[in-house]
């Protein structure tokens, strides 16, 4: 409107947009800087009514949502008040173009921030979409150190779908044992598996059965574990930005009586499709549109349930609140249980349905290299591990990126990481007669700006008739998802079935049981970048690889990123 001045509030005193429109012409203010200060500490929380220690940011679990606009700069001053453990925070989905030192990955881009110290992360959110942040030190993520990042399109830019307002949803699983207890069991002989989570949380709220427990330990009347509520006005359409921060569980998400239209995945527009439930894997984000088109006389259940593993965890519950009903008025119905946990075909069908939206398709170039990564469970010196091409990967004491910049060749294994396996003689459906593997800190060195195909191949674990789902996440890049298939990847013919017309770009993708997933990316972001299974226990046990390209172009390592391994020699008094 001519002469109208529009103000949109940002974090604290920062202004996200200032647009002055005169006679139909809008002058846009430059991108803004959001300066945040976070104190990370342990807090006693009853997220599922059971009291335990959780990691909080400024007292909140999940942490505060970051709101920004494409092109803005985010500065986060993170003070580690954990007292007895280090800290690193990864900005999941933010590509860190030109800022690899802020990727927040312990052992790769930095040494963990020590207790009492403050680390300053600074990066540009270069693409609109839904992202997340979480700890990337040990198994801290499952203790509650995570949150949502919402990046809006620039002012004056229209998205290819319309909605009235939006809600943010963080899905997570919750254990009553500590991450230290779990890590100790996983890395011991005998091996102690972490088991299934006690609860599923929606925005940090769940419901554990407190029967036979003291009210001082577990209290179902505690307001802290009351179900989250999302208010809608009848007749309006809402955008739900959904992020999975689970440490183990693949999930299905559904809203009673309402269909969802999927429109975004990992910051990329999806050719819209309608579904009754959304399968979502750890590390993934989606946007779905939901129209409040049901009777406004009651509220409706929002639920999430475990899929891919035989669950012993109760469903997570929240409330879709139809205005003007009371916010936390329970629906009169029984919460929908969600789909069957073992309907793998339905999950694969949804994976195949996720394609790039017309008008937003980025055509992938032809590959110059193909790397096949066989995912297996193995033994190394009697310890249970996860391995890639029979190698269980370990992180060096000195971060990779610093070692590369300083040409410290003794920091990590210089033997090239294996680019394939003996697929002609490997039976992916059987427990191998020899399950022994090796360990290594080797890396993949890629020609800068080259295009690489990565084939993820699943197989049987060390348990008969068992193959697990693995969500794989790539730091520093988006990749094209070319296809999914059953059984063993056909090295000669499988690429004939690739989706090259409308491949979606993502940063996290599932590898389904006894199947394969094909993806393609351009090694065009200087540095060394982690590619790993997003299940905490699998990552801890070696399910990761490193992709290096153009690391010589990266700036010198900041002092703040040092403090461990050989970097101690570079520290100034």
């Amino acid at each position: 409107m001519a002469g109208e001045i529009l103000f949109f509030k940002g974090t604290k005193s920062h202004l996200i947009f200032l647009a002055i429109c005169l006679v139909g012409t809008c002058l846009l203010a430059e991108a803004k800087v959001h300066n945040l200060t976070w104190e990370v500490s342990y807090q006693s929380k009853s997220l599922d009514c059971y009291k335990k220690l959780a990691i909080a940011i400024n007292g909140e679990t999940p942490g505060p949502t970051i709101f920004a606009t494409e092109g803005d700069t985010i500065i986060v001053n993170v003070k580690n008040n954990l007292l007895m453990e280090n800290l690193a925070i990864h900005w999941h989905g933010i590509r860190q173009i030109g800022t690899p030192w802020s990727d927040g990955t312990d052992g790769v881009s930095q040494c963990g921030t020590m207790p009492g110290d403050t680390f300053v992360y600074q990066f540009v959110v270069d693409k609109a979409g839904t992202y997340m942040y979480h700890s990337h030190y040990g198994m801290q993520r499952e203790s509650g150190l995570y949150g949502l990042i919402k990046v809006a399109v620039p002012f004056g830019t229209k998205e290819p779908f319309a909605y009235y307002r939006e809600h943010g949803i963080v899905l997570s699983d919750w254990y009553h044992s500590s991450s230290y207890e779990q890590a100790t069991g996983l890395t011991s002989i005998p091996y102690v598996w972490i088991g299934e989570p006690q609860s599923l949380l929606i925005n940090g709220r769940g419901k554990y059965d407190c029967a036979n427990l003291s009210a001082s330990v577990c209290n179902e009347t505690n307001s802290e574990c009351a179900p989250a509520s999302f208010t809608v006005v009848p007749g309006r359409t809402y955008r739900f930005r959904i992020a999975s921060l689970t440490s183990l569980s693949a999930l299905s998400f559904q809203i009673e009586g309402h269909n969802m239209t999927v429109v975004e995945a990992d910051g990329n527009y999806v050719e819209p499709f309608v579904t009754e439930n959304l399968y979502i894997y750890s590390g993934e984000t989606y946007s779905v549109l939901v129209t409040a088109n049901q009777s406004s006389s009651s509220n409706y259940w929002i639920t999430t349930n475990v899929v891919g593993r035989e669950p012993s965890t109760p469903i997570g519950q929240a409330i879709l609140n139809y205005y003007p009903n009371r916010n936390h008025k329970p629906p009169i119905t029984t919460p929908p249980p969600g789909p069957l946990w073992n309907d793998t075909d339905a999950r694969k069908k949804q994976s195949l349905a996720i394609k790039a939206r017309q008008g937003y398709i980025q055509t992938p170039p032809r590959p110059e290299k193909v790397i096949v990564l066989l995912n297996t469970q193995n033994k190394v010196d009697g310890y249970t591990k996860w391995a890639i091409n029979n190698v269980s990967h370990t992180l060096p004491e000195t971060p990779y990126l610093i070692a590369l910049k300083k040409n410290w060749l003794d920091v990590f294994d210089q033997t090239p990481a294996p680019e394939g396996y003996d697929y002609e003689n490997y039976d992916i459906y059987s427990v191998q007669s020899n399950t022994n593997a090796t360990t290594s800190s080797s890396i993949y060195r890629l020609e800068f700006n080259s295009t690489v195909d990565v084939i993820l191949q699943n197989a049987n674990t060390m348990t008969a008739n068992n193959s697990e789902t693995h969500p794989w996440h790539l730091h520093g890049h988006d990749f094209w998802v070319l296809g999914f298939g059953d059984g063993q990847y056909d090295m000669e013919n499988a690429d004939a079935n690739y989706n090259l017309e409308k491949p979606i770009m993502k940063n996290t993708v599932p590898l389904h049981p006894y199947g394969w997933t094909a993806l393609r990316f351009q090694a065009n972001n200087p540095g060394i970048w982690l590619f790993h299974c997003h299940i905490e226990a699998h990552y801890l046990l070696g399910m990761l690889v490193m992709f290096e390209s153009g690391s010589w172009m990266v700036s010198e390592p900041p002092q703040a990123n040092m403090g461990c391994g050989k970097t101690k020699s570079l520290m100034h008094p």
Side-chain angles (χ1 to χ4, degrees):
M1 212 186 299
E4 184 176 19
I5 300 179
L6 304 175
F7 293 93
F8 296 78
K9 291 182 179 179
T11 33
K12 295 186 178 178
S13 61
H14 293 98
L15 198 62
I16 293 183
F17 296 122
L18 170 57
I20 305 175
C21 299
L22 299 171
V23 199
T25 302
C26 289
L27 305 176
L28 297 184
E30 61 184 8
K32 298 301 174 184
V33 176
H34 306 266
N35 203 321
L36 310 173
T37 299
W38 289 358
E39 293 194 3
V40 178
S41 63
Y42 274 106
Q43 303 278 325
S44 181
K45 296 285 185 181
S46 299
L47 302 185
D48 66 346
C49 305
Y50 183 96
K51 184 183 292 186
K52 65 160 286 187
L53 287 177
I55 299 180
I57 298 174
N58 297 343
E60 296 181 44
T61 306
T65 297
I66 295 177
F67 298 92
T69 300
E70 181 179 308
D72 286 357
T73 296
I74 308 295
I75 301 174
V76 190
N77 306 273
V78 179
K79 184 176 182 182
N80 181 3
N81 285 340
L82 294 178
L83 300 181
M84 292 187 293
E85 55 192 285
N86 292 352
L87 173 66
I89 298 180
H90 171 55
W91 315 94
H92 183 119
I94 306 302
R95 294 178 290 183
Q96 301 293 351
I97 298 172
T99 53
W101 298 115
S102 282
D103 189 52
T105 310
D106 175 64
V108 180
S109 60
Q110 69 170 90
C111 299
T113 305
M114 293 190 292
D117 286 351
T118 296
F119 191 97
V120 180
Y121 295 95
Q122 181 169 335
F123 52 88
V124 173
V125 286
D126 65 293
K127 188 157 67 77
T130 307
Y131 308 103
M132 65 179 79
Y133 63 84
H134 58 79
S135 171
H136 221 301
Y137 183 88
M139 294 178 68
Q140 276 178 353
R141 186 178 85 226
E142 71 174 51
S143 296
L145 209 176
Y146 45 70
L148 198 60
I149 303 174
K150 297 182 180 181
V151 183
V153 296
F155 186 75
T157 301
K158 286 188 176 182
E159 294 194 276
F161 45 84
Y163 55 94
Y164 177 54
R165 289 181 180 168
E166 66 181 50
H167 292 292
I169 292 183
V170 172
L171 304 176
S172 53
D173 46 15
W174 195 242
Y175 287 87
H176 293 170
S177 58
S178 72
S179 59
Y180 281 110
E181 292 175 273
Q182 294 187 12
T184 299
L186 291 168
T187 55
S188 295
I189 299 176
Y191 173 76
V192 181
W193 174 238
I194 62 174
E196 300 303 309
Q198 277 65 61
S199 300
L200 298 179
L201 307 182
I202 299 178
N203 282 8
R205 294 169 178 266
K207 187 73 72 174
Y208 184 69
D209 184 359
C210 293
N212 303 319
L213 292 172
S214 165
S216 63
V217 175
C218 191
N219 186 351
E220 293 182 17
T221 65
N222 191 327
S223 60
E224 198 171 28
C225 59
S229 180
F230 304 91
T231 300
V232 295
V233 174
R236 298 284 194 174
T237 296
Y238 290 79
R239 178 182 190 170
F240 284 79
R241 296 181 186 258
I242 308 167
S244 175
L245 274 300
T246 57
S247 59
L248 171 67
S249 308
L251 300 174
S252 176
F253 174 87
Q254 45 274 328
I255 303 176
E256 179 188 17
H258 295 74
N259 286 333
M260 297 176 282
T261 302
V262 181
V263 293
E264 179 222 344
D266 292 356
N268 296 281
Y269 294 131
V270 171
E271 188 66 37
F273 67 93
V274 177
T275 184
E276 293 181 354
N277 68 288
L278 177 73
Y279 293 110
I280 184 168
Y281 305 88
S282 179
E284 288 191 313
T285 64
Y286 288 95
S287 284
V288 299
L289 301 182
V290 178
T291 300
N293 55 10
Q294 299 300 301
S295 170
S296 60
S297 62
S298 65
N299 291 337
Y300 297 84
W301 289 112
I302 297 173
T303 65
T304 187
N305 65 287
V306 173
V307 295
R309 308 179 62 87
E310 186 168 7
S312 59
T313 309
I315 62 172
Q317 302 175 24
I319 295 173
L320 185 69
N321 167 234
Y322 265 66
Y323 181 84
N325 293 315
R326 284 188 300 109
N327 216 22
H328 288 91
K329 178 183 177 182
I332 59 175
T333 55
T334 301
L340 295 173
W341 70 270
N342 56 356
D343 191 350
T344 306
D345 288 341
R347 294 194 285 128
K348 288 187 288 190
K349 183 178 179 182
Q350 190 171 100
S351 292
L352 290 166
I354 300 170
K355 298 177 181 178
R357 186 173 186 130
Q358 197 66 39
Y360 297 88
I361 299 170
Q362 299 182 51
T363 303
R366 293 184 61 83
E368 296 152 73
K369 178 189 280 287
V370 177
I371 298 174
V372 181
L373 303 178
L374 175 68
N375 292 225
T376 56
Q377 190 182 41
N378 297 84
K379 291 283 189 179
V380 175
D381 297 329
Y383 292 90
T384 298
K385 298 286 186 180
W386 283 92
I388 304 301
N389 294 341
N390 215 48
V391 177
S392 183
H393 288 266
T394 59
L395 297 175
E397 291 185 7
T398 302
Y400 279 108
L401 190 54
I402 299 177
L404 287 164
K405 287 300 297 180
K406 296 302 179 183
N407 199 31
W408 289 338
L409 301 182
D410 59 331
V411 163
F412 60 90
D413 189 350
Q414 297 299 306
T415 305
E419 297 185 359
Y421 71 103
D422 184 11
Y423 66 92
E424 292 182 345
N425 296 306
Y426 194 98
D427 180 6
I428 67 167
Y429 296 102
S430 301
V431 177
Q432 301 302 296
S433 57
N434 181 2
T435 59
N436 290 325
T438 60
T439 60
S440 177
S441 56
S442 60
I443 67 175
Y444 294 93
R445 294 181 183 267
L446 307 177
E447 184 178 344
F448 182 70
N449 221 25
S450 63
T451 301
V452 181
D453 276 7
V454 176
I455 313 301
L456 295 166
Q457 175 68 63
N458 216 337
N460 208 98
T461 65
M462 290 190 297
T463 301
N465 303 313
N466 175 256
S467 180
E468 299 194 11
T469 301
H470 302 289
W472 277 83
H473 169 60
L474 178 59
H475 292 222
H477 306 76
D478 282 354
F479 50 72
W480 289 275
V481 181
L482 303 181
F484 302 87
D486 296 325
Q488 197 161 27
Y489 181 83
D490 183 344
M491 299 295 290
E492 303 298 327
N493 302 305
D495 58 356
N497 297 316
Y498 283 177
N499 170 25
L500 298 176
E501 293 183 3
K502 299 171 68 173
I504 188 66
M505 298 197 77
K506 296 180 92 270
N507 60 63
T508 305
V509 68
L511 173 60
H512 295 293
Y514 296 116
W516 56 264
T517 299
L519 56 93
R520 181 175 297 173
F521 76 100
Q522 287 186 290
N524 56 6
N525 192 5
I528 183 165
W529 303 99
L530 185 60
F531 184 44
H532 65 103
C533 178
H534 212 254
I535 293 174
E536 288 274 73
H538 293 181
Y539 174 64
L540 177 75
L541 297 177
M543 206 168 197
L544 63 112
V545 298
M546 304 299 310
F547 292 128
E548 182 277 334
S549 65
S551 58
W552 68 89
M553 292 184 266
V554 173
S555 62
E556 287 299 308
Q559 282 281 302
N561 294 58
M562 302 183 191
C564 58
K566 288 187 70 172
T567 69
K568 294 175 183 177
S569 65
L570 302 177
M571 298 291 290
H572 300 311

